[in-house]
Amino acid sequence: MMRIGQSIDIHQLVAGRKLILGGVEIPYTLGLKGHSDADVLLHAIIESIIGAMGLGDIGKHFPDTDPAYKGISSMVLLEKTYQMMCEHHYHIGNVDAIIMCEQPKMAPHIMQMRENIAMALHCDVSQINVKATRGEKMGFVGRGEGIVSQAVCLLEED
């Protein structure tokens, strides 16, 4: 049996925060605002996996009102999501994700993101795809006010 999940996540760019995407700290003057490390890419992937299992959304499992998740690495949340997959007898078929960000350039960091995600989900890096696009100066992404990520995953039953 196969199950498909999809998600979108959006975070505002602000001063005084690190920019972390796909578990990679990216040098930049702004970072993403959020309760955890605000890794918008991992949040979209996590929620796509949770959705594929029919278990609600990321907020149900990792609420931003819980002090336990304050400042937590989203890599830890992805690992916890992998444990949920195991408990429900699923493994990754593939993940396809996109980062929508005007600046900084994502290309130099994408392979490390893919490797981080594959490691946490116990799958081959070839099963993880991450790509990026710009806002072309349009909308809040184009103005550099925030970053959006979308993800789709295919889960296969063990």
Side-chain angles (χ1 to χ4, degrees), residues 30-69:
L30 302 173
L32 292 169
K33 182 179 179 181
H35 185 69
S36 66
D37 64 4
D39 188 327
V40 68
L41 173 62
L42 294 187
H43 291 183
I45 291 170
I46 289 165
E47 192 165 72
S48 72
I49 293 168
I50 291 170
M53 292 187 289
L55 298 177
D57 61 28
I58 192 170
K60 178 179 177 182
H61 298 276
F62 310 115
D64 63 6
T65 55
D66 188 335
Y69 301 118

Side-chain angles (χ1 to χ4, degrees), residues 45-92:
I45 291 170
I46 289 165
E47 192 165 72
S48 72
I49 293 168
I50 291 170
M53 292 187 289
L55 298 177
D57 61 28
I58 192 170
K60 178 179 177 182
H61 298 276
F62 310 115
D64 63 6
T65 55
D66 188 335
Y69 301 118
K70 178 76 175 157
I72 195 168
S73 166
S74 294
M75 287 297 297
V76 172
L77 302 181
L78 186 59
E79 290 163 3
K80 290 178 181 285
T81 303
Y82 172 75
Q83 292 303 315
M84 278 191 264
M85 286 171 45
C86 291
E87 291 165 12
H88 288 86
H89 309 288
Y90 288 104
H91 63 271
I92 291 292

